[in-house]
Amino acid sequence: MATVRPFQGIRYDPQKVDLGHVVAPPYDVISPRDQVRYYQQDPHNVVRLIAGEVRLSDTPEDNKYTRASGFFREWMRKGILRREPTPCLYIYRHEFVDPTTGLTHARRGILGVVELEPLGDGVLPHERTHARAKADRLSLTRAVEANLSPVFALFEDPRSAVSPILVAGMARTPELSIAGVDGDQHTVWSMSGTQPVQELAAVFRGSRLYIADGHHRYETALNFRDKQRRENPEAPPNAAFNYVLMLLVDVQDPGLIILPTHRVLHDLEGFDAPAFMRRLAARHDVVPRAGRAAVLAAMRERTPSHRVGIALGGEGRGGELPAFATVDIERRASTDPVSQLDVAVLHREILEGELGLQELLLEQERYVSYARDVDAVLDRVAAGEAQAAFLVRPPAVSDVVAVARAGQVMPQKSTYFYPKPASGIVFNPLDPAIRIVPA
């Protein structure tokens, strides 16, 4: 059901820049501190395009979007960026260290363009999107007229037809080999032969795509396409704006890793930790844990029940409660895949059921913020900067697929596929005059 095509991308010229100093993660995981670091790494770092600085002097004529457009065009004019001579697909191997285990993994996928279609049939989401983020990405896309970061999607390949094609392609000399400053290794091979491209296209025609990361980018691409269709009614179906840049990874790839995103409670008026814990203990199995290491070890255990880890601030505990505990919540018999997720149970039973924090408040992050670094989360609680932390276990890749197939979505920030594909490997130009060639 997915239409995947080669494209004539735009890439950094490795003779003019150090590729390891110009790539970066997607915009949504770049902190203010990261932004400064990437700005300093190289004057041509992709951060100037995807997450440019906001200035007090910004105007409608001079802002992060117009500056991104100016950088993009200037770098093209100077040859820092150059258009590929022919359309192709790319094999992208991303080697990294799992921060939870210290083990090295490699994830491989295919970079190509995919014909846009409404979400819900051939392309399935698993998370909600938010208007502010989509408006931001649409402004950037309109200014630069290019996909600057790929949507990260999963595909199914029950006959294992894709792997031999990738193995054959990776036997050749790579097009790019990038040692990132974060220690990750990015290796890229181009694939332009008719036979492998057609074979891959045939496989994808039989598979749905499940968005792993980049829901906002995909919906932005749909909005940009619709705008371009209105402004260019004569453009044919293979106009470039009808497609979006994607990284496609097999759902069975052993390098697919999902990290948990924990919840941090702060500034909730009237929060009474002892009363809160008594209510939890009356309904669920609450087990005190001896310390940080003990609660983290408990969160790694396999349990028949849902499990949530809790860390409580000293002031809120009043000295009568342990600093750490786990809460085991009995599973309900249900065919609803969302209800089987630990993070959904945390939201339903604790954040909403016990603390009264409804979905809108959680989305606004008024009392609950989200963080992936568990040590940083627990440090905030220990320092009195947060009232409590709720630790969760990550969903499995199979959970993501099941939720998407059911046409449902998880609570916000339920999945963090690690690591994100790098931005800056290749860009997809969306000028209305560009045509996407058949496979």
Side-chain angles (χ1 to χ4, degrees):
M1 284 179 271
T3 301
V4 180
R5 295 286 184 263
F7 67 110
Q8 205 170 342
I10 293 173
R11 286 177 27 206
Y12 282 103
D13 185 343
Q15 302 300 315
K16 296 191 176 182
V17 296
D18 180 341
L19 295 174
H21 286 82
V22 295
V23 298
Y27 77 101
D28 53 345
V29 294
I30 296 177
S31 68
R33 181 177 298 179
D34 292 334
Q35 184 193 50
V36 172
R37 177 165 58 90
Y38 289 125
Y39 259 81
Q40 293 173 346
Q41 267 179 203
D42 191 287
H44 305 103
N45 189 281
V46 70
V47 74
R48 284 174 169 77
L49 305 180
I50 63 173
E53 61 182 3
V54 176
R55 302 171 183 170
L56 293 175
S57 59
D58 280 352
T59 66
E61 294 75 31
D62 181 18
N63 53 63
K64 69 175 185 177
Y65 308 117
T66 61
R67 288 190 290 272
S69 175
F71 287 133
F72 195 74
R73 283 157 178 73
E74 178 189 5
W75 298 350
M76 288 289 293
R77 186 172 63 254
K78 292 182 175 180
I80 304 298
L81 297 176
R82 53 180 175 78
R83 185 96 181 270
E84 291 280 66
T86 58
C88 62
L89 299 173
Y90 301 90
I91 303 170
Y92 174 21
R93 183 178 186 271
H94 191 166
E95 187 174 325
F96 59 94
V97 174
D98 182 343
T100 61
T101 65
L103 298 176
T104 299
H105 297 274
R107 184 182 67 211
R108 65 185 188 186
I110 299 160
L111 283 165
V113 294
V114 176
E115 187 173 10
L116 288 159
E117 58 178 275
L119 290 169
D121 187 10
V123 181
L124 301 177
H126 74 271
E127 287 186 342
R128 291 182 176 88
T129 55
H130 306 294
R132 185 172 62 180
K134 286 187 288 188
D136 170 61
R137 292 299 96 182
L138 182 58
S139 295
L140 180 61
T141 305
R142 291 175 62 177
V144 180
E145 287 197 325
N147 298 141
L148 301 175
S149 303
V151 175
F152 178 9
L154 310 179
F155 67 90
E156 295 172 303
D157 181 22
R159 294 196 296 271
S160 300
V162 171
S163 184
I165 300 172
L166 299 188
V167 169
M170 293 166 65
R172 300 192 300 270
T173 302
E175 194 83 11
L176 301 172
S177 183
I178 306 171
V181 294
D182 54 5
D184 288 10
Q185 181 71 34
H186 311 273
T187 312
V188 179
W189 295 261
S190 62
M191 185 187 304
S192 57
T194 301
Q195 181 177 346
V197 169
Q198 289 182 342
E199 289 175 349
L200 288 172
V203 172
F204 291 123
R205 278 196 296 271
S207 174
R208 285 175 162 178
L209 300 181
Y210 306 93
I211 297 180
D213 182 68
H215 291 77
H216 292 98
R217 292 190 287 280
Y218 190 87
E219 291 198 34
T220 293
L222 284 171
N223 292 334
F224 181 78
R225 178 203 66 179
D226 294 344
K227 175 181 178 296
Q228 292 293 87
R229 284 180 173 178
R230 291 192 298 270
E231 295 178 356
N232 302 276
E234 75 292 345
N238 67 336
F241 57 70
N242 288 305
Y243 292 77
V244 65
L245 178 63
M246 276 197 179
L247 172 67
L248 305 168
V249 176
D250 191 333
V251 294
Q252 300 297 327
D253 191 296
L256 282 174
I257 291 176
I258 302 177
L259 300 183
T261 301
H262 309 293
R263 275 60 176 154
V264 181
L265 182 71
H266 55 84
D267 303 314
L268 181 61
E269 298 90 344
F271 175 65
D272 184 333
F276 166 69
M277 293 302 291
R278 285 195 296 270
R279 292 196 303 271
L280 280 183
R283 299 179 56 209
H284 309 295
D285 184 13
V286 176
V287 178
R289 301 292 174 175
R292 179 181 295 206
V295 76
L296 294 179
M299 292 303 294
R300 290 192 290 269
E301 295 173 355
R302 292 181 178 271
T303 63
S305 59
H306 300 285
R307 176 166 288 180
V308 175
I310 296 182
L312 294 170
E315 184 176 342
R317 288 187 290 127
E320 81 177 77
L321 292 175
F324 301 97
T326 55
V327 181
D328 283 0
I329 301 172
E330 188 175 347
R331 291 185 182 273
R332 298 178 181 177
S334 175
T335 57
D336 173 11
V338 174
S339 71
Q340 301 306 306
L341 304 174
D342 282 4
V343 67
V345 172
L346 165 63
H347 279 236
R348 183 187 71 225
E349 298 292 331
I350 297 179
L351 299 184
E352 296 179 18
E354 294 295 344
L355 297 177
L357 300 175
Q358 300 303 313
E359 184 177 316
L360 180 60
L361 286 175
L362 294 174
E363 182 176 324
Q364 294 172 340
E365 301 187 30
R366 173 65 182 85
Y367 302 111
V368 174
S369 57
Y370 304 84
R372 291 176 291 274
D373 186 334
V374 68
D375 287 325
V377 166
L378 297 179
D379 287 347
R380 283 187 63 188
V381 176
E385 298 172 4
Q387 294 163 305
F390 301 100
L391 312 182
V392 294
R393 300 181 292 195
V397 174
S398 58
D399 293 325
V400 173
V401 173
V403 168
R405 280 180 178 163
Q408 296 182 303
V409 291
M410 297 181 180
Q412 64 172 327
K413 300 185 181 179
S414 295
T415 59
Y416 181 73
F417 281 85
Y418 183 87
K420 304 291 181 85
S423 298
I425 300 291
V426 63
F427 306 119
N428 176 41
L430 299 172
D431 186 286
I434 296 174
R435 304 290 177 257
I436 300 300
V437 299

